[in-house]
Coordinates of all heavy atoms in Angstrom, one line a residue:
M1 N 6.2 -64.5 -40.8 CA 4.8 -64.0 -40.5 C 4.8 -62.5 -40.6 O 5.7 -61.8 -40.0 CB 4.4 -64.5 -39.2 CG 3.0 -64.1 -38.8 SD 2.5 -64.7 -37.2 CE 2.5 -66.4 -37.4
S2 N 3.9 -61.9 -41.2 CA 3.8 -60.4 -41.4 C 3.0 -59.8 -40.2 O 2.3 -60.5 -39.5 CB 3.1 -60.1 -42.7 OG 1.7 -60.3 -42.6
D3 N 3.2 -58.5 -40.1 CA 2.4 -57.8 -39.1 C 0.9 -57.9 -39.3 O 0.2 -57.9 -38.3 CB 2.8 -56.3 -39.1 CG 4.2 -56.0 -38.6 OD1 4.7 -56.9 -37.9 OD2 4.8 -55.0 -39.0
Q4 N 0.5 -58.0 -40.5 CA -0.9 -58.1 -40.8 C -1.5 -59.3 -40.1 O -2.7 -59.1 -39.6 CB -1.1 -58.4 -42.3 CG -0.6 -57.3 -43.2 CD -1.5 -56.2 -43.4 OE1 -2.7 -56.3 -43.1 NE2 -1.0 -55.0 -43.8
T5 N -0.9 -60.4 -39.9 CA -1.5 -61.5 -39.3 C -1.5 -61.4 -37.8 O -2.1 -62.2 -37.1 CB -0.8 -62.8 -39.7 OG1 0.6 -62.7 -39.2 CG2 -0.8 -63.0 -41.2
E6 N -0.8 -60.4 -37.3 CA -0.7 -60.3 -35.8 C -1.7 -59.2 -35.3 O -1.7 -59.0 -34.1 CB 0.7 -59.9 -35.4 CG 1.8 -60.9 -35.8 CD 3.2 -60.4 -35.6 OE1 3.4 -59.2 -35.5 OE2 4.1 -61.2 -35.5
R7 N -2.4 -58.6 -36.1 CA -3.3 -57.5 -35.7 C -4.5 -58.1 -34.9 O -5.0 -59.2 -35.2 CB -3.8 -56.7 -36.8 CG -4.6 -57.4 -37.9 CD -5.2 -56.4 -38.9 NE -4.3 -55.9 -39.8 CZ -4.6 -55.0 -40.7 NH1 -5.8 -54.5 -40.8 NH2 -3.7 -54.5 -41.6
F8 N -5.0 -57.3 -34.0 CA -6.2 -57.7 -33.3 C -7.4 -57.7 -34.2 O -7.6 -56.7 -35.0 CB -6.5 -56.8 -32.1 CG -5.5 -57.1 -30.9 CD1 -4.6 -56.1 -30.6 CD2 -5.5 -58.2 -30.2 CE1 -3.6 -56.3 -29.6 CE2 -4.6 -58.4 -29.2 CZ -3.7 -57.5 -28.9
A9 N -8.3 -58.6 -34.0 CA -9.5 -58.7 -34.9 C -10.5 -57.5 -34.7 O -11.3 -57.2 -35.6 CB -10.2 -60.0 -34.7
D10 N -10.4 -56.9 -33.5 CA -11.3 -55.8 -33.2 C -10.9 -54.5 -33.8 O -11.6 -53.5 -33.6 CB -11.7 -55.7 -31.7 CG -10.5 -55.9 -30.8 OD1 -9.3 -55.8 -31.3 OD2 -10.7 -56.0 -29.6
N11 N -9.8 -54.4 -34.5 CA -9.4 -53.1 -35.1 C -10.4 -52.8 -36.2 O -10.8 -53.7 -37.0 CB -8.0 -53.3 -35.8 CG -6.9 -53.3 -34.8 OD1 -6.6 -52.3 -34.1 ND2 -6.1 -54.4 -34.8
N12 N -10.7 -51.5 -36.3 CA -11.6 -51.0 -37.4 C -10.7 -51.2 -38.7 O -9.5 -50.8 -38.7 CB -11.9 -49.6 -37.1 CG -12.7 -49.0 -38.2 OD1 -12.2 -48.3 -39.1 ND2 -14.0 -49.2 -38.2
P13 N -11.3 -51.7 -39.8 CA -10.5 -51.8 -41.0 C -9.9 -50.5 -41.5 O -10.5 -49.4 -41.4 CB -11.5 -52.3 -42.0 CG -12.6 -53.0 -41.2 CD -12.7 -52.1 -39.9
G14 N -8.7 -50.5 -41.9 CA -8.0 -49.3 -42.4 C -6.5 -49.4 -42.2 O -6.0 -50.4 -41.7
K15 N -5.9 -48.3 -42.5 CA -4.4 -48.3 -42.5 C -3.8 -48.4 -41.1 O -2.7 -49.0 -40.9 CB -3.8 -47.1 -43.2 CG -4.1 -45.8 -42.6 CD -3.5 -44.7 -43.5 CE -3.8 -43.3 -42.9 NZ -3.2 -42.2 -43.8
Y16 N -4.5 -47.9 -40.0 CA -3.9 -48.0 -38.7 C -4.5 -49.2 -38.0 O -5.7 -49.6 -38.2 CB -4.3 -46.8 -37.8 CG -3.5 -45.5 -38.1 CD1 -4.0 -44.5 -39.0 CD2 -2.2 -45.4 -37.5 CE1 -3.2 -43.4 -39.2 CE2 -1.5 -44.2 -37.8 CZ -2.0 -43.3 -38.6 OH -1.2 -42.2 -38.9
Y17 N -3.6 -49.9 -37.3 CA -4.1 -51.1 -36.6 C -3.1 -51.4 -35.4 O -2.0 -50.9 -35.4 CB -4.2 -52.3 -37.5 CG -3.0 -52.7 -38.2 CD1 -2.1 -53.7 -37.8 CD2 -2.7 -52.1 -39.4 CE1 -1.0 -54.0 -38.5 CE2 -1.6 -52.4 -40.2 CZ -0.7 -53.4 -39.7 OH 0.4 -53.7 -40.4
I18 N -3.6 -52.2 -34.5 CA -2.7 -52.5 -33.3 C -2.5 -54.0 -33.4 O -3.4 -54.8 -33.6 CB -3.4 -52.1 -32.0 CG1 -3.4 -50.6 -31.9 CG2 -2.7 -52.7 -30.8 CD1 -4.1 -50.0 -30.7
I19 N -1.2 -54.4 -33.1 CA -0.8 -55.8 -33.2 C -0.7 -56.3 -31.7 O -0.7 -55.6 -30.8 CB 0.5 -56.0 -34.0 CG1 1.6 -55.3 -33.3 CG2 0.2 -55.5 -35.4 CD1 3.0 -55.6 -34.0
K20 N -0.5 -57.6 -31.7 CA -0.6 -58.4 -30.4 C 0.6 -58.2 -29.5 O 0.6 -58.8 -28.4 CB -0.9 -59.9 -30.7 CG -2.2 -60.1 -31.4 CD -2.6 -61.5 -31.6 CE -4.0 -61.6 -32.2 NZ -4.4 -63.0 -32.5
T21 N 1.5 -57.3 -29.8 CA 2.6 -57.0 -28.8 C 2.1 -55.9 -27.8 O 2.7 -55.6 -26.9 CB 3.8 -56.4 -29.5 OG1 3.4 -55.3 -30.3 CG2 4.5 -57.5 -30.4
C22 N 0.8 -55.4 -28.1 CA 0.3 -54.4 -27.2 C 0.3 -54.9 -25.7 O -0.2 -56.0 -25.5 CB -1.1 -54.0 -27.6 SG -2.1 -53.0 -26.5
I23 N 0.7 -54.0 -24.8 CA 0.7 -54.4 -23.4 C -0.4 -53.8 -22.6 O -0.5 -53.9 -21.4 CB 2.0 -54.1 -22.7 CG1 2.3 -52.6 -22.9 CG2 3.2 -54.9 -23.3 CD1 3.6 -52.1 -22.1
G24 N -1.3 -53.1 -23.3 CA -2.5 -52.5 -22.7 C -2.3 -51.4 -21.7 O -3.0 -51.1 -20.8
C25 N -1.2 -50.6 -22.1 CA -0.9 -49.4 -21.2 C -1.9 -48.3 -21.3 O -1.9 -47.4 -20.5 CB 0.5 -48.9 -21.5 SG 0.6 -48.0 -23.0
T26 N -2.7 -48.3 -22.3 CA -3.8 -47.3 -22.6 C -3.2 -45.9 -23.1 O -4.0 -45.0 -23.2 CB -4.7 -47.1 -21.4 OG1 -4.1 -46.3 -20.4 CG2 -5.3 -48.4 -20.9
L27 N -1.9 -45.8 -23.2 CA -1.4 -44.5 -23.6 C -2.0 -44.0 -24.9 O -2.3 -42.8 -25.1 CB 0.2 -44.6 -23.7 CG 1.0 -43.3 -24.0 CD1 0.7 -42.3 -22.9 CD2 2.5 -43.7 -24.0
C28 N -2.2 -44.9 -25.9 CA -2.7 -44.4 -27.2 C -4.1 -43.8 -27.1 O -4.4 -42.9 -27.8 CB -2.7 -45.5 -28.2 SG -3.5 -47.0 -27.7
S29 N -4.9 -44.4 -26.2 CA -6.3 -43.9 -26.1 C -6.3 -42.6 -25.3 O -7.3 -41.9 -25.4 CB -7.2 -45.0 -25.4 OG -6.7 -45.3 -24.2
V30 N -5.3 -42.3 -24.6 CA -5.1 -41.0 -23.9 C -4.7 -39.9 -24.9 O -5.2 -38.8 -25.0 CB -4.1 -41.0 -22.8 CG1 -3.9 -39.7 -22.2 CG2 -4.6 -42.0 -21.7
I31 N -3.8 -40.3 -25.8 CA -3.3 -39.4 -26.8 C -4.3 -39.1 -27.9 O -4.5 -38.0 -28.3 CB -1.9 -39.9 -27.4 CG1 -0.9 -39.9 -26.3 CG2 -1.5 -39.1 -28.6 CD1 0.4 -40.6 -26.7
A32 N -4.9 -40.2 -28.4 CA -5.8 -40.1 -29.5 C -7.1 -40.8 -29.2 O -7.5 -41.8 -29.8 CB -5.2 -40.7 -30.8
P33 N -7.9 -40.2 -28.3 CA -9.1 -40.8 -27.8 C -10.2 -41.0 -28.9 O -11.1 -41.8 -28.7 CB -9.6 -39.9 -26.7 CG -9.0 -38.6 -27.0 CD -7.7 -38.9 -27.6
A34 N -10.1 -40.2 -30.0 CA -11.1 -40.4 -31.1 C -10.9 -41.6 -31.9 O -11.7 -42.0 -32.7 CB -11.1 -39.1 -31.9
N35 N -9.7 -42.2 -31.7 CA -9.3 -43.3 -32.6 C -9.0 -44.6 -31.9 O -9.2 -45.7 -32.5 CB -8.2 -42.9 -33.5 CG -8.5 -41.6 -34.3 OD1 -8.1 -40.5 -33.9 ND2 -9.3 -41.7 -35.3
F36 N -8.4 -44.5 -30.7 CA -8.0 -45.7 -30.0 C -8.8 -45.9 -28.8 O -9.2 -44.9 -28.1 CB -6.5 -45.6 -29.6 CG -5.6 -45.5 -30.8 CD1 -5.0 -44.3 -31.1 CD2 -5.2 -46.6 -31.5 CE1 -4.1 -44.1 -32.1 CE2 -4.3 -46.5 -32.6 CZ -3.8 -45.3 -32.9
I37 N -9.1 -47.1 -28.4 CA -9.9 -47.4 -27.2 C -9.4 -48.7 -26.6 O -8.9 -49.6 -27.3 CB -11.4 -47.5 -27.5 CG1 -12.2 -47.4 -26.3 CG2 -11.7 -48.7 -28.4 CD1 -13.7 -47.2 -26.5
E38 N -9.6 -48.8 -25.3 CA -9.1 -50.1 -24.6 C -10.2 -51.1 -24.7 O -11.4 -50.8 -24.5 CB -8.8 -49.7 -23.2 CG -8.3 -50.9 -22.4 CD -8.0 -50.6 -20.9 OE1 -8.4 -49.5 -20.5 OE2 -7.3 -51.4 -20.3
N39 N -9.8 -52.3 -25.0 CA -10.8 -53.5 -24.9 C -10.9 -53.9 -23.4 O -9.9 -54.3 -22.8 CB -10.2 -54.6 -25.7 CG -11.3 -55.8 -25.8 OD1 -11.9 -56.0 -24.8 ND2 -11.3 -56.4 -26.9
T40 N -12.1 -53.7 -22.9 CA -12.2 -54.0 -21.4 C -12.9 -55.3 -21.2 O -13.5 -55.6 -20.1 CB -13.1 -52.9 -20.8 OG1 -14.3 -52.7 -21.5 CG2 -12.3 -51.6 -20.8
D41 N -12.9 -56.2 -22.2 CA -13.4 -57.6 -22.0 C -12.8 -58.3 -20.8 O -11.6 -58.5 -20.8 CB -13.1 -58.4 -23.3 CG -13.9 -59.7 -23.3 OD1 -14.2 -60.2 -22.2 OD2 -14.0 -60.3 -24.4
E42 N -13.7 -58.6 -19.8 CA -13.1 -59.1 -18.6 C -12.6 -60.5 -18.8 O -11.9 -61.0 -17.9 CB -14.3 -59.1 -17.5 CG -14.7 -57.7 -17.1 CD -15.8 -57.8 -16.1 OE1 -16.2 -58.8 -15.7 OE2 -16.2 -56.7 -15.7
E43 N -12.8 -61.2 -19.9 CA -12.3 -62.5 -20.1 C -10.8 -62.5 -20.5 O -10.1 -63.5 -20.5 CB -13.1 -63.3 -21.1 CG -14.5 -63.6 -20.6 CD -15.3 -64.5 -21.6 OE1 -14.7 -64.9 -22.6 OE2 -16.5 -64.7 -21.3
L44 N -10.4 -61.3 -20.9 CA -9.0 -61.2 -21.3 C -8.1 -61.1 -20.1 O -8.3 -60.4 -19.2 CB -8.8 -59.9 -22.2 CG -9.5 -59.8 -23.5 CD1 -9.3 -58.4 -24.1 CD2 -8.9 -60.8 -24.5
A45 N -7.0 -61.9 -20.2 CA -6.0 -61.9 -19.1 C -5.3 -60.6 -19.0 O -5.1 -60.0 -18.0 CB -5.0 -63.0 -19.2
V46 N -4.9 -60.1 -20.2 CA -4.3 -58.8 -20.3 C -5.1 -58.0 -21.4 O -5.3 -58.4 -22.5 CB -2.8 -58.9 -20.8 CG1 -2.2 -57.6 -21.0 CG2 -2.0 -59.8 -19.8
G47 N -5.5 -56.8 -21.0 CA -6.3 -56.0 -21.9 C -5.4 -55.4 -23.0 O -4.2 -55.5 -22.9
H48 N -6.0 -55.0 -24.0 CA -5.3 -54.4 -25.1 C -6.1 -53.3 -25.7 O -7.3 -53.2 -25.5 CB -4.9 -55.4 -26.2 CG -6.1 -55.9 -27.0 ND1 -6.8 -57.0 -26.6 CD2 -6.7 -55.4 -28.1 CE1 -7.8 -57.2 -27.5 NE2 -7.8 -56.3 -28.4
S49 N -5.5 -52.4 -26.4 CA -6.2 -51.4 -27.1 C -6.4 -51.7 -28.6 O -5.7 -52.6 -29.1 CB -5.5 -50.0 -27.0 OG -5.5 -49.6 -25.6
Y50 N -7.3 -51.0 -29.3 CA -7.5 -51.3 -30.7 C -8.0 -50.0 -31.4 O -8.4 -49.1 -30.7 CB -8.4 -52.5 -30.9 CG -9.8 -52.3 -30.4 CD1 -10.9 -51.8 -31.2 CD2 -10.1 -52.5 -29.1 CE1 -12.2 -51.6 -30.7 CE2 -11.4 -52.3 -28.6 CZ -12.4 -51.9 -29.4 OH -13.7 -51.7 -28.9
V51 N -7.9 -50.0 -32.7 CA -8.4 -48.8 -33.4 C -9.9 -49.0 -33.6 O -10.3 -50.0 -34.3 CB -7.7 -48.8 -34.8 CG1 -8.3 -47.6 -35.6 CG2 -6.2 -48.6 -34.6
Y52 N -10.7 -48.1 -33.0 CA -12.1 -48.2 -33.2 C -12.6 -47.3 -34.3 O -13.8 -47.5 -34.8 CB -12.9 -48.0 -31.9 CG -13.0 -46.6 -31.4 CD1 -14.1 -45.9 -31.7 CD2 -12.0 -46.0 -30.6 CE1 -14.3 -44.6 -31.3 CE2 -12.1 -44.7 -30.2 CZ -13.3 -44.0 -30.5 OH -13.4 -42.7 -30.0
K53 N -11.8 -46.3 -34.7 CA -12.2 -45.5 -35.8 C -10.9 -45.0 -36.5 O -10.0 -44.5 -35.8 CB -13.0 -44.3 -35.3 CG -13.5 -43.4 -36.5 CD -14.3 -42.2 -35.9 CE -13.6 -41.1 -35.3 NZ -12.8 -40.3 -36.3
Q54 N -10.8 -45.1 -37.8 CA -9.7 -44.6 -38.5 C -9.7 -43.0 -38.5 O -10.8 -42.5 -38.4 CB -9.7 -45.1 -40.0 CG -9.5 -46.6 -40.1 CD -8.1 -47.1 -39.7 OE1 -7.1 -46.4 -39.9 NE2 -8.1 -48.3 -39.1
P55 N -8.5 -42.4 -38.5 CA -8.5 -40.9 -38.5 C -9.2 -40.3 -39.7 O -9.0 -40.8 -40.8 CB -7.0 -40.6 -38.4 CG -6.3 -41.8 -38.9 CD -7.2 -42.9 -38.5
E56 N -10.0 -39.3 -39.5 CA -10.8 -38.7 -40.6 C -10.4 -37.2 -40.8 O -10.8 -36.6 -41.8 CB -12.3 -38.7 -40.2 CG -12.8 -40.2 -40.2 CD -14.3 -40.2 -39.7 OE1 -14.8 -39.2 -39.2 OE2 -14.9 -41.3 -39.9
T57 N -9.6 -36.7 -39.9 CA -9.1 -35.3 -40.1 C -7.6 -35.3 -39.9 O -7.0 -36.3 -39.4 CB -9.7 -34.4 -39.0 OG1 -9.2 -34.8 -37.7 CG2 -11.2 -34.5 -39.0
E58 N -7.0 -34.2 -40.3 CA -5.5 -34.0 -40.2 C -5.1 -34.1 -38.7 O -4.1 -34.7 -38.4 CB -5.1 -32.8 -40.9 CG -3.6 -32.6 -41.0 CD -3.2 -31.4 -41.8 OE1 -4.0 -30.9 -42.6 OE2 -2.0 -31.0 -41.6
A59 N -6.0 -33.5 -37.9 CA -5.7 -33.4 -36.5 C -5.7 -34.9 -35.9 O -4.8 -35.2 -35.1 CB -6.7 -32.6 -35.7
E60 N -6.6 -35.6 -36.3 CA -6.7 -37.0 -35.8 C -5.5 -37.8 -36.3 O -4.9 -38.7 -35.6 CB -8.0 -37.7 -36.2 CG -9.2 -37.2 -35.4 CD -10.5 -37.9 -35.8 OE1 -10.5 -38.8 -36.6 OE2 -11.6 -37.5 -35.3
E61 N -5.2 -37.6 -37.5 CA -4.0 -38.3 -38.2 C -2.7 -38.0 -37.4 O -2.0 -38.9 -37.1 CB -3.9 -37.9 -39.6 CG -2.8 -38.5 -40.4 CD -3.2 -39.8 -41.1 OE1 -4.3 -39.9 -41.5 OE2 -2.3 -40.7 -41.2
L62 N -2.5 -36.7 -37.0 CA -1.3 -36.3 -36.3 C -1.3 -37.0 -34.9 O -0.2 -37.4 -34.5 CB -1.3 -34.8 -36.2 CG -0.9 -34.1 -37.5 CD1 -1.1 -32.6 -37.2 CD2 0.5 -34.4 -37.9
L63 N -2.4 -37.1 -34.3 CA -2.5 -37.7 -33.0 C -2.2 -39.2 -33.1 O -1.6 -39.8 -32.2 CB -3.8 -37.4 -32.3 CG -4.0 -36.0 -31.8 CD1 -5.4 -35.7 -31.3 CD2 -3.0 -35.6 -30.8
C64 N -2.7 -39.8 -34.1 CA -2.5 -41.3 -34.3 C -1.0 -41.5 -34.6 O -0.4 -42.5 -34.0 CB -3.3 -41.8 -35.5 SG -5.0 -42.0 -35.2
E65 N -0.3 -40.6 -35.3 CA 1.1 -40.7 -35.5 C 1.9 -40.5 -34.2 O 2.9 -41.2 -34.0 CB 1.5 -39.7 -36.6 CG 1.1 -40.0 -38.0 CD 1.5 -39.0 -39.0 OE1 2.4 -38.1 -38.7 OE2 1.1 -39.1 -40.1
E66 N 1.4 -39.6 -33.4 CA 2.1 -39.3 -32.1 C 2.0 -40.6 -31.3 O 2.9 -41.0 -30.6 CB 1.5 -38.1 -31.4 CG 2.1 -37.8 -30.1 CD 1.5 -36.6 -29.4 OE1 0.9 -35.8 -30.1 OE2 1.7 -36.5 -28.2
A67 N 0.8 -41.2 -31.2 CA 0.6 -42.4 -30.4 C 1.5 -43.5 -30.9 O 2.1 -44.3 -30.1 CB -0.9 -42.8 -30.5
M68 N 1.6 -43.6 -32.3 CA 2.5 -44.6 -32.8 C 3.9 -44.4 -32.4 O 4.6 -45.4 -32.1 CB 2.3 -44.6 -34.4 CG 2.9 -45.8 -35.1 SD 2.4 -45.9 -36.8 CE 2.9 -44.3 -37.5
D69 N 4.3 -43.2 -32.4 CA 5.7 -42.9 -32.0 C 6.1 -43.2 -30.6 O 7.2 -43.6 -30.3 CB 6.0 -41.4 -32.3 CG 6.1 -41.0 -33.7 OD1 6.3 -42.0 -34.5 OD2 6.0 -39.8 -34.1
V70 N 5.1 -43.0 -29.7 CA 5.4 -43.2 -28.2 C 5.0 -44.6 -27.7 O 5.3 -44.9 -26.5 CB 4.7 -42.1 -27.4 CG1 5.3 -40.7 -27.8 CG2 3.2 -42.1 -27.4
C71 N 4.2 -45.3 -28.5 CA 3.8 -46.7 -28.0 C 5.0 -47.5 -27.5 O 5.9 -47.7 -28.2 CB 3.1 -47.4 -29.1 SG 2.7 -49.1 -28.6
P72 N 5.0 -47.9 -26.2 CA 6.2 -48.6 -25.7 C 6.4 -50.0 -26.2 O 7.4 -50.6 -26.0 CB 5.9 -48.6 -24.2 CG 4.4 -48.5 -24.1 CD 4.0 -47.7 -25.2
A73 N 5.3 -50.5 -26.9 CA 5.4 -51.9 -27.4 C 5.5 -51.9 -28.9 O 5.5 -53.0 -29.5 CB 4.2 -52.7 -26.9
D74 N 5.7 -50.8 -29.5 CA 5.8 -50.7 -31.0 C 4.6 -51.5 -31.6 O 4.8 -52.2 -32.6 CB 7.1 -51.3 -31.4 CG 7.4 -51.0 -32.9 OD1 6.8 -50.0 -33.4 OD2 8.1 -51.7 -33.6
A75 N 3.4 -51.3 -31.0 CA 2.3 -52.1 -31.4 C 1.3 -51.4 -32.4 O 0.4 -52.0 -32.9 CB 1.5 -52.6 -30.2
I76 N 1.5 -50.1 -32.6 CA 0.6 -49.4 -33.5 C 1.3 -49.3 -34.9 O 2.4 -48.9 -35.0 CB 0.4 -48.0 -33.0 CG1 -0.3 -48.0 -31.6 CG2 -0.6 -47.2 -33.9 CD1 -0.4 -46.7 -30.9
R77 N 0.6 -49.7 -35.8 CA 1.1 -49.8 -37.2 C 0.3 -49.0 -38.2 O -0.9 -48.8 -38.0 CB 1.2 -51.3 -37.7 CG 2.1 -52.1 -36.8 CD 3.5 -51.6 -36.7 NE 4.3 -52.3 -35.7 CZ 5.0 -53.4 -35.9 NH1 5.0 -54.0 -37.0 NH2 5.7 -53.9 -34.9
N78 N 0.9 -48.6 -39.2 CA 0.2 -47.9 -40.3 C 0.8 -48.5 -41.6 O 1.9 -48.3 -41.9 CB 0.5 -46.4 -40.3 CG -0.1 -45.6 -41.4 OD1 -0.6 -46.2 -42.4 ND2 0.1 -44.3 -41.4
N79 N -0.1 -49.2 -42.3 CA 0.4 -49.9 -43.5 C 0.1 -49.1 -44.8 O 0.4 -49.5 -45.9 CB -0.1 -51.3 -43.7 CG -1.6 -51.4 -43.9 OD1 -2.3 -50.3 -44.1 ND2 -2.2 -52.6 -43.9
G80 N -0.5 -47.9 -44.6 CA -0.7 -47.0 -45.7 C -1.9 -47.3 -46.6 O -2.2 -46.6 -47.6
S81 N -2.5 -48.4 -46.3 CA -3.6 -48.9 -47.2 C -4.9 -48.3 -46.8 O -5.1 -47.7 -45.7 CB -3.7 -50.4 -47.2 OG -4.4 -50.8 -46.0
S82 N -5.9 -48.4 -47.6 CA -7.3 -47.9 -47.3 C -8.2 -48.9 -46.7 O -9.4 -48.6 -46.5 CB -7.9 -47.2 -48.6 OG -8.0 -48.2 -49.6
N83 N -7.7 -50.1 -46.5 CA -8.6 -51.1 -45.9 C -7.8 -52.0 -45.0 O -6.7 -51.9 -44.8 CB -9.3 -51.9 -47.0 CG -8.4 -52.6 -48.0 OD1 -7.3 -53.1 -47.6 ND2 -8.7 -52.6 -49.2
Ligands
LIG101 S1 0.2 -47.3 -26.5 FE1 0.8 -49.3 -27.5 S2 1.1 -50.7 -25.8 FE2 -0.1 -49.0 -25.0 S3 -2.2 -49.6 -25.2 FE3 -1.7 -48.4 -27.0 S4 -1.0 -50.0 -28.5 FE4 -1.0 -50.9 -26.5

């Protein structure tokens, strides 16, 4: 099974996405608040974050990469594609 099939459906389409190993620590949304956000759906037993906007500037891209590097669950991925 590839990482593609493990991504959350609420990710904005694009090269960055979050997969289901996310533990909802919210670190990514602190580091890159323009791109990551926590899903606060109360029906979820464990919250998770997702990509709500793909990076549009070099600064946003760098913060997304930083978030990917520090994610404790290795849940942020970049497949390099445009969709
Ligand atoms: S940093 Fe990783 S584990 Fe934490 S909320 Fe973001 S994707 Fe999930």
Side-chain angles (χ1 to χ4, degrees):
M1 182 180 293
S2 75
D3 290 338
Q4 298 279 340
T5 62
E6 299 171 342
R7 65 171 72 185
F8 289 110
D10 42 13
N11 285 297
N12 179 261
K15 64 181 182 181
Y16 282 98
Y17 56 95
I18 291 179
I19 64 171
K20 293 183 177 178
T21 57
C22 171
I23 58 173
C25 74
T26 73
L27 188 57
C28 55
S29 59
V30 172
I31 294 171
N35 306 99
F36 299 102
I37 195 168
E38 184 181 12
N39 186 324
T40 56
D41 187 338
E42 292 180 0
E43 292 184 8
L44 292 172
V46 178
H48 68 267
S49 294
Y50 61 96
V51 177
Y52 77 94
K53 184 177 78 69
Q54 295 293 325
E56 296 174 344
T57 65
E58 188 173 339
E60 287 182 3
E61 180 91 32
L62 288 172
L63 290 173
C64 286
E65 288 179 11
E66 182 179 339
M68 191 165 61
D69 287 345
V70 302
C71 172
D74 193 24
I76 302 173
R77 301 299 169 89
N78 175 356
N79 67 5
S81 76
S82 60
N83 56 38

